[in-house]
Amino acid sequence: MSDRRFDHLRLEQVRRRFGDKVVLDDLNLQIAGGEFVALLGPSGCGKSTALNCLAGLLPLSGGSIWLDQRRVDTQPPEKRGFGMVFQNYALFPHMSVRRNVGFGLAMRGTGRQETRRRVDEALRLVQLTPYADRLPGQLSGGQQQRVAIARAIVIEPPLVLMDEPLSNLDAALRLDMRTEIRRLHQSLGLTTIYVTHDQEEALSLADRLVVLREGVVQQVGTPEELYRSPVNPYVASFMGYRNLLPMTVTGRNGDEATVHGFGIELTGMARGRFDTGPATVAVRPEDFVVGVEPANPQNHIRIAVEVVEYHGREQAIQARLPEGEVLRLRSSNRVSRGDTVSAWVRHDHVLVFGEQLDGPPVEVAAGPSAGVAANDSAPSTAGAPS
Amino acid sequence: MTVAPPAPAPARRHRPPDPRAHLSHRLAERGIDRTLWLLLPGVVFLVALFIYPLAYGLGLSFQPLKSTDPLYNYKQFFTDHLQRDTIGTTLRISLPAALVNVIASVPIAYRMRGRMRGKRFITTMLVIPITLGTVLTADGMLKFFDPAGGWFNKTLFALHIRTPDQPVLLINNYWGVVISLIISGFPFAFLLILSYLSGIDPSLDAAASTLGASPRRRFWQITFPLLAPGLAITFCLTFVLAFSVFPSAYLVGNPTSTTRVISIAAYEARSVETNDSKASTIALIMAVIELLVISVVLFGRGRLYRGSTGGKG
Ligand SMILES: Nc1ncnc2c1ncn2[C@@H]1O[C@H](COP(=O)(O)OP(=O)(O)OP(=O)(O)O)[C@@H](O)[C@H]1O
Ligand SMILES: [Mg+2]
């Protein structure tokens, strides 16, 4: 078995094809021991494939994986000793919850007393002590998911791979388990790679995020870096920029760019090298200030409110720009359907990307502020041919 | 004496809500719902082709030709060692044949459970014997294993493993029948086991491997327990096929001694002695023995986990 701790896990040019389809394209990533990394991306972008490659369940089509100086991609999964929480749980249906959780310890030849103590502890952590003697088929989906988590962490592996481990839990339990996973990670020093498509989960849990799109890494960085400075509209869409408007750049002044479209003019922070031409403008709904007349007319627009949803303290508003496009806003100032109101957004809350959202999944050329994404992993090159 | 005031009449207009579930829900809980009609064709066939002949044969077996004692045929069968021994002979042939079929199928099916190059070709090759039929198989065996001119022995002679005066005898004896039963029973066993195996979710194996289980332990602790109920069923089916062996016992066996199986005894009673009553008796004894073996196997199976195996079914 592998040693508990390691300095670095390195993925070098890891690539995986299914037939002709490249599902993981030259994945380069370096993860420090003890780090919590979230893999973020929409359904089908290759997250599970990446985990399976790491765990040794799928052979690589190219590249290598290193644990410090040890090459692990040539080892079978049972020799790697990584814990894995499967997306479909993969609990052994013929074994009780207790035996499921104890399976990894049994394989390691852990003594009976020790096994019992650690299994009890793990079951307590996932709040399943009363269910220890049931079969998995007699548990709810969320309970099964927690058994899967307990089974993976009870062996205290050097690296835990979690494939959407909280997807089936209700909101309250999800928050509890999220805290629990974070706590486990810290107290056991487990290095964790966590797959999710939930932005909030990724931001709140991870030390670093990796955003994937069709198997290509888009950006790697701390939650703060990604949240503040997404490198392209795609990453922005994952970081809460729900308004992604195709507009046209009419002026560029250093870091700032002015864009036109849909009957409005906005000034925002330019991301990337461009002077004029088509661009994507990203704004978060909550960055708008609605219904207040600002002193400065810059970034001041008028919108027609179409849908208002009550969200407690705030309202979620769907409105239309003078020339058609839909805009989403949040506001604590009450508005109602049919109103025409003014909205304002600070220019540093507006991001202007010199590319289309629907463009090919490529890494943007490093712009003036792309330095924030700096880390020790090499960004993949644009549209690398196979 | 005081007269109790009349109790107020209960309001009858509103029926109190019945705390129990609706009748249809309670019936469904016991497995009674409209899908029961799906059993109808099966029940019709069962009655027409199984229950009726069985009852008829049972009646016949208690009406012996040569005696007034209704149990005469049964007593006769168990006292005549020529008859009685056919039970042992049949079991000696059919049990090993069924066991070999199951045991040989498991590793091949295990290797082929996932996606694999040439899987369809190999499956087709393994299944061809089904289409041949016992008689053709027996004919082929007679030629192939012929002690003098068959390829099998010729090869052994050429390799100096055997000399022509000591050929390996694999026909007209016990081994001939066993081999023939394996050839004809294997495809059934293999196909059944392959489908049971593909019903087991492959991610269970993957999960066990990430938990540190070697391939051997994964097989014995994960795959095998989930497969075992299927193996029991497969064993029963191939056993029944082998137990009623008749053509190969005649054609590639030694039907007067070592392969005088119980179906031969029944056949002789019917066709040679024209004693239908005796033949029915033997057929019933045959059925009872099969039932006994199957019950033992299924009793063992009842102690296994038989729930979902999480696969594509
Ligand atoms: N065995 C396979 N054969 C062919 N294509 C596959 C196979 N497994 C996955 N794929 C394809 O690879 C891509 C990535 O799949 P993967 O399971 O990694 O997605 P994911 O990011 O985990 O998605 P989700 O969030 O829905 O779980 C998908 O487009 C999928 O269709
Ligand atoms: Mg997945």
Side-chain angles (χ1 to χ4, degrees):
Chain A
M1 286 303 131
S2 43
D3 28 320
R4 272 286 304 282
R5 305 200 169 272
F6 57 90
D7 289 332
H8 287 289
L9 173 77
R10 281 196 323 283
L11 283 77
E12 289 179 356
Q13 312 276 314
V14 170
R15 153 185 289 255
R16 170 71 208 185
R17 277 193 301 269
F18 285 114
D20 289 340
K21 191 171 186 286
V22 178
V23 173
L24 268 190
D25 199 1
D26 286 346
L27 178 59
N28 287 294
L29 195 63
Q30 177 155 334
I31 293 170
E35 213 178 355
F36 197 122
V37 172
L39 270 184
L40 188 61
S43 185
C45 71
K47 306 181 298 289
S48 298
T49 307
L51 280 203
N52 284 326
C53 286
L54 262 170
L57 302 173
L58 272 180
L60 305 184
S61 310
S64 54
I65 303 173
W66 300 80
L67 207 56
D68 293 332
Q69 304 311 315
R70 182 162 70 102
R71 183 167 180 177
V72 292
D73 61 285
T74 49
Q75 291 186 313
E78 64 268 24
K79 292 270 159 48
R80 300 190 193 188
F82 299 163
M84 177 143 173
V85 181
F86 287 73
Q87 192 165 13
N88 68 350
Y89 327 137
L91 300 180
F92 308 130
H94 58 300
M95 295 184 186
S96 67
V97 167
R98 174 178 295 286
R99 279 191 62 210
N100 261 283
V101 176
F103 187 83
L105 295 173
M107 292 302 117
R108 282 161 177 70
T110 311
R112 181 184 295 262
Q113 298 262 309
E114 169 83 355
T115 301
R116 197 169 176 87
R117 188 183 62 73
R118 282 166 70 174
V119 169
D120 282 342
E121 169 71 12
L123 287 177
R124 200 181 52 71
L125 280 179
V126 296
Q127 306 171 20
L128 283 178
T129 309
Y131 301 91
D133 297 314
R134 295 228 197 151
L135 289 178
Q138 301 164 322
L139 301 180
S140 75
Q143 290 166 336
Q144 294 182 29
Q145 204 154 34
R146 285 180 280 153
V147 177
I149 295 175
R151 185 178 68 175
I153 54 157
V154 75
I155 55 177
E156 300 186 5
L159 177 68
V160 195
L161 309 166
M162 298 196 178
D163 200 345
E164 306 195 20
L166 305 185
S167 58
N168 251 336
L169 306 184
D170 63 58
L173 194 54
R174 183 183 301 219
L175 284 179
D176 279 0
M177 288 304 299
R178 198 194 276 178
T179 318
E180 205 49 63
I181 286 177
R182 183 77 200 166
R183 205 184 60 70
L184 276 171
H185 165 77
Q186 278 161 356
S187 63
L188 302 179
L190 308 175
T191 311
T192 308
I193 300 183
Y194 187 99
V195 161
T196 179
H197 50 234
D198 181 343
Q199 169 238 147
E200 202 188 309
E201 210 167 277
L203 286 174
S204 63
L205 277 174
D207 300 322
R208 263 197 313 152
L209 304 186
V210 178
V211 180
L212 269 184
R213 175 188 195 180
E214 291 176 32
V216 181
V217 173
Q218 301 294 299
Q219 189 173 3
V220 184
T222 64
E224 171 96 28
E225 284 165 358
L226 267 76
Y227 192 78
R228 295 233 171 278
S229 309
V231 295
N232 61 24
Y234 180 84
V235 178
S237 73
F238 264 97
M239 292 294 125
Y241 288 88
R242 296 198 54 212
N243 298 299
L244 293 163
L245 308 172
M247 294 170 83
T248 310
V249 185
T250 51
R252 169 92 189 236
N253 176 14
D255 272 0
E256 291 188 9
T258 305
V259 289
H260 272 96
F262 309 111
I264 59 170
E265 182 189 86
L266 289 173
T267 301
M269 309 303 292
R271 293 277 183 267
R273 288 188 227 281
F274 56 86
D275 287 323
T276 51
T280 304
V281 177
V283 190
R284 289 199 179 92
E286 58 270 31
D287 287 340
F288 284 103
V289 180
V290 179
V292 179
E293 296 291 336
N296 179 354
Q298 197 191 37
N299 283 357
H300 179 218
I301 58 179
R302 289 200 79 74
I303 51 170
V305 177
E306 286 190 336
V307 180
V308 178
E309 280 173 23
Y310 177 71
H311 282 199
R313 196 203 299 229
E314 280 187 330
Q315 286 175 320
I317 301 164
Q318 196 171 309
R320 218 164 262 284
L321 291 173
E323 283 174 23
E325 189 72 354
V326 168
L327 200 65
R328 295 188 176 80
L329 312 90
R330 293 182 79 90
S331 164
S332 45
N333 294 330
R334 302 279 150 195
V335 297
S336 32
R337 227 183 76 136
D339 290 355
T340 298
V341 295
S342 72
W344 173 76
V345 58
R346 275 170 52 167
H347 79 282
D348 56 349
H349 285 159
V350 178
L351 301 184
V352 181
F353 298 101
E355 64 176 297
Q356 305 291 304
L357 175 63
D358 304 329
V362 295
E363 182 89 2
V364 290
S369 62
V372 289
N375 52 59
D376 38 22
S377 71
S380 63
T381 42
S386 49
Chain B
M1 274 188 111
T2 53
V3 180
R12 296 218 52 96
R13 266 183 308 159
H14 295 291
R15 205 140 49 100
D18 187 349
R20 293 176 307 167
H22 188 267
L23 181 67
S24 65
H25 292 293
R26 276 180 287 142
L27 287 177
E29 187 68 26
R30 289 178 171 69
I32 302 170
D33 55 26
R34 274 181 302 169
T35 56
L36 271 185
W37 287 112
L38 295 175
L39 299 181
L40 187 67
V43 172
V44 169
F45 275 100
L46 199 68
V47 170
L49 299 176
F50 181 69
I51 308 272
Y52 172 71
L54 182 71
Y56 186 82
L58 195 64
L60 209 56
S61 73
F62 292 122
Q63 298 162 27
L65 291 184
K66 300 172 191 149
S67 162
T68 50
D69 177 4
L71 291 177
Y72 173 79
N73 279 331
Y74 291 91
K75 287 176 184 159
Q76 187 68 28
F77 183 90
F78 287 104
T79 42
D80 178 357
H81 78 91
L82 252 185
Q83 303 281 46
R84 193 180 54 211
D85 289 353
T86 60
I87 296 179
T89 306
T90 317
L91 287 176
R92 257 196 305 283
I93 291 172
S94 54
L95 283 177
L99 210 58
V100 167
N101 279 335
V102 171
I103 292 174
S105 301
V106 173
I108 303 177
Y110 187 67
R111 179 64 189 82
M112 290 179 55
R113 71 197 188 285
R115 252 182 281 180
M116 181 180 151
R117 214 178 281 267
K119 181 171 175 172
R120 191 174 304 173
F121 174 75
I122 297 174
T123 312
T124 313
M125 289 306 292
L126 290 173
V127 165
I128 280 179
I130 286 189
T131 61
L132 294 181
T134 2
V135 179
L136 202 59
T137 311
D139 192 48
M141 281 178 61
L142 285 175
K143 298 219 164 68
F144 182 69
F145 290 122
D146 187 272
W151 284 3
F152 181 73
N153 276 307
K154 272 189 181 168
T155 311
L156 292 186
F157 303 153
L159 294 174
H160 299 289
I161 296 171
R162 285 292 175 125
T163 51
D165 51 321
Q166 277 184 314
V168 176
L169 298 175
L170 292 177
I171 45 171
N172 300 324
N173 60 10
Y174 170 80
W175 293 109
V177 183
V178 171
I179 292 173
S180 153
L181 287 178
I182 290 173
I183 292 174
S184 55
F186 177 81
F188 283 105
F190 170 74
L191 285 184
L192 269 171
I193 290 175
L194 187 62
S195 81
Y196 278 116
L197 262 175
S198 9
I200 298 177
D201 181 357
S203 69
L204 299 181
D205 193 74
S209 73
T210 63
L211 291 166
S214 62
R216 175 190 297 260
R217 299 180 94 167
R218 298 206 291 271
F219 177 78
W220 286 112
Q221 304 212 5
I222 309 298
T223 310
F224 185 75
L226 295 174
L227 184 62
L231 293 184
I233 296 287
T234 310
F235 177 83
C236 288
L237 285 176
T238 48
F239 167 73
V240 169
L241 280 178
F243 193 81
S244 49
V245 47
F246 182 75
S248 53
Y250 243 102
L251 297 171
V252 285
N254 182 359
T256 51
S257 67
T258 50
T259 71
R260 192 180 134 81
V261 293
I262 192 163
S263 54
I264 291 180
Y267 169 77
E268 283 174 355
R270 168 77 180 75
S271 303
V272 181
E273 300 173 38
T274 58
N275 186 340
D276 282 2
S277 170
K278 184 176 172 188
S280 296
T281 308
I282 299 177
L284 280 167
I285 290 171
M286 203 170 147
V288 168
I289 292 166
E290 284 179 307
L291 265 175
L292 278 178
V293 172
I294 292 174
S295 323
V296 168
V297 174
L298 292 188
F299 174 77
R301 177 178 182 266
R303 309 170 63 98
L304 301 171
Y305 170 81
R306 280 170 304 154
S308 146
T309 48
K312 54 190 155 85

